[in-house]
Amino acid sequence: EKDGYPSFMEKEIHDQPEAVLQTLLGRSDIDGRLTLDEMRIDPEELKKIDKIIVLACGTSAYAGHVAKYAIETWCRIPTEVELAHEFRYREPIITPTTLVVSLSQSGETMDTLMAVRYAREQGARTMAICNTNGSTIPRESDAVLYTHAGPEIAVASTKAFLAQIVAAYLLGLYLAQLRGNKFQGEIKDILADLNKIPAKIQSVLDNADPIRELARSMKDADSVLFLGRHVGFPVALEGALKLKEIAYIHAEGFAAGELKHGPIALIEEGQPVFIVVPSPRGRDSLHAKVVSNIQEVRARGARTFVIAEEGDEAVKAYAEEVFFIPETQPLLAPLLATVPLQIFAAALAGAKGYDVDQPRNLAKSVTVE
Ligand code: F6R
């Protein structure tokens, strides 16, 4: 069942090209027109949506954070991401033109289910992005967009995360198409780039030995920090969560711009810091700003491990080690940049002799509040 991998988690990390491919399959025509047949919400209603609230927990919430950047860029619809358990206990503003999108691998997470129920009661349109056919959250939602990642067995989520990002992106493109926010040509180009992602993930997987080696050398680390900016910020949060969950190492993710507002005080000699660097071809100055963050932590003694785009030679001078990912457009980079961090966590936990698939204190599906 594990296809020769030492754990389900390793297998599922390697399933990711297929998970992305399956989630894209059959959802657009050759002209780049999105055809989300499963969408049970009237297109006329979707045209009127003026606010999106994404609800989820844990890794799924980080997928939501990534999606927010894309949806706001493509659709110009204000999008909030909120932890499901927080949402329900305040007085959220929901109207009939609010679309509530839940993200859940299992479709059974009680916190998310209760938040979706609450949103429905308040009159929102609800849509589930879910990996489990026929599970409770999609059954209780107005619409569902399934991720086709296949069953995820390891407790720590990997392939479901990438598939959730892809599905949320398809939703964003669909809304942009419906509302005429984007030219069909642009949508087609983004879809074409999405279709190239599986092969690019495969190349990250094929070149992962150096990150595994680094992980094995770091099994005595007692704290690892992760920095990112823009879509790299939720990637940093996800990298930190993976390490906490399965390697039981204190790990935190920060928005790189937040460093000087506090977290930089944590940096001392030898502190390992991963930095997710945006493409140098992306929004001007973002790359330079993150590079200067690398310099800042390095000047204070941090060991800097950098995830950067192939060809980004500028980062080399400041990094103890660089792990390159293939080029893609900035909004799609999380689908690649997350992968080395997953591999790092799995390899480190493995090196410590832990059960990577069944970490202590955690259950695959949290069906209690
Ligand atoms: C992290 C992890 C959890 C889940 C969270 C939500 O690796 O597995 O943080 O992401 O419990 O679960 P779902 O997506 O099933 O609602």
Side-chain angles (χ1 to χ4, degrees):
E1 272 178 7
K2 294 182 197 164
D3 288 347
Y5 292 102
S7 62
F8 280 107
M9 185 179 174
E10 281 276 359
K11 173 187 178 289
E12 287 159 9
I13 289 171
H14 285 80
D15 284 346
Q16 291 182 117
E18 190 63 17
V20 168
L21 185 73
Q22 291 299 328
T23 302
L24 288 169
L25 217 62
R27 282 171 164 165
S28 57
D29 65 19
I30 49 165
D31 299 322
R33 193 155 284 283
L34 274 296
T35 47
L36 301 184
D37 296 334
E38 320 123 278
M39 185 73 71
R40 295 178 305 225
I41 302 178
D42 180 359
E44 287 311 310
E45 238 179 277
L46 286 176
K47 280 189 198 166
K48 295 190 197 117
I49 294 299
D50 56 7
K51 180 179 173 184
I52 295 175
I53 302 177
V54 180
L55 298 177
C57 303
T59 287
S60 297
Y62 297 149
H65 279 285
V66 172
K68 172 190 158 97
Y69 290 87
I71 293 173
E72 289 197 336
T73 302
W74 296 334
C75 309
R76 310 308 297 153
I77 305 172
T79 303
E80 297 173 11
V81 186
E82 190 158 5
L83 293 169
H85 36 88
E86 284 295 320
F87 173 79
R88 217 155 62 80
Y89 295 98
R90 58 182 189 89
E91 306 281 315
I93 299 167
I94 297 168
T95 71
T97 51
T98 303
L99 178 65
V100 165
V101 179
S102 65
L103 292 176
S104 177
Q105 188 287 127
S106 61
E108 302 295 345
T109 299
M110 187 57 77
D111 286 317
T112 308
L113 174 61
M114 297 307 267
V116 168
R117 278 187 190 157
Y118 179 77
R120 273 197 101 175
E121 283 161 18
Q122 305 295 308
R125 288 278 147 269
T126 55
M127 168 165 186
I129 290 179
C130 183
N131 197 46
T132 311
N133 258 306
S135 54
T136 311
I137 295 171
R139 274 195 281 121
E140 294 204 12
S141 301
D142 296 314
V144 58
L145 188 57
Y146 281 110
T147 47
H148 297 302
E152 195 178 62
I153 305 215
V155 164
S157 183
T158 54
K159 62 178 180 175
F161 175 72
L162 293 200
Q164 284 168 336
I165 294 173
V166 170
Y169 278 20
L170 291 176
L171 171 65
L173 292 172
Y174 179 71
L175 292 174
Q177 171 181 294
L178 269 184
R179 302 158 61 97
N181 294 95
K182 273 222 161 292
F183 297 118
Q184 198 55 44
E186 292 175 82
I187 295 177
K188 190 177 171 182
D189 291 346
I190 297 166
L191 280 170
D193 287 342
L194 269 171
N195 278 306
K196 290 181 196 147
I197 290 291
K200 292 179 182 182
I201 297 174
Q202 191 58 50
S203 117
V204 176
L205 295 171
D206 292 342
N207 294 294
D209 283 342
I211 193 122
R212 281 203 189 85
E213 219 168 281
L214 174 70
R216 286 192 287 265
S217 78
M218 280 175 59
K219 67 184 176 35
D220 298 321
D222 47 28
S223 160
V224 181
L225 303 181
F226 295 79
L227 302 178
R229 203 168 171 129
H230 191 251
V231 283
F233 171 34
V235 171
L237 296 172
E238 172 61 4
L241 180 60
K242 288 287 92 88
L243 205 56
K244 292 176 218 186
E245 284 185 291
I246 60 170
Y248 319 140
I249 292 179
H250 171 257
E252 275 192 80
F254 298 110
E258 191 65 7
L259 256 188
K260 59 184 170 303
H261 301 288
I264 200 162
L266 288 170
I267 306 294
E268 55 183 6
E269 196 59 40
Q271 170 69 51
V273 182
F274 275 87
I275 305 104
V276 181
V277 178
S279 164
R281 298 169 303 114
R283 183 167 303 189
D284 36 356
S285 82
L286 212 56
H287 177 267
K289 286 195 168 133
V290 176
V291 170
S292 87
N293 292 141
I294 309 176
Q295 291 171 270
E296 282 157 15
V297 294
R298 192 177 166 102
R300 288 161 179 85
R303 299 181 62 191
T304 50
F305 304 108
V306 170
I307 314 286
E309 188 178 275
E310 258 157 30
D312 183 358
E313 300 299 318
V315 294
K316 278 193 176 160
Y318 312 108
E320 179 171 328
E321 225 173 311
V322 186
F323 303 97
F324 285 111
I325 55 171
E327 272 187 25
T328 188
Q329 50 177 293
L331 286 169
L332 305 191
L335 297 167
L336 305 174
T338 307
V339 178
L341 302 181
Q342 298 167 333
I343 294 171
F344 178 76
L348 205 158
K352 291 180 100 167
Y354 295 147
D355 182 341
V356 173
D357 292 332
Q358 299 278 352
R360 69 186 182 202
N361 309 342
L362 293 173
K364 181 65 186 159
S365 171
V366 185
T367 53
V368 292
E369 272 191 85

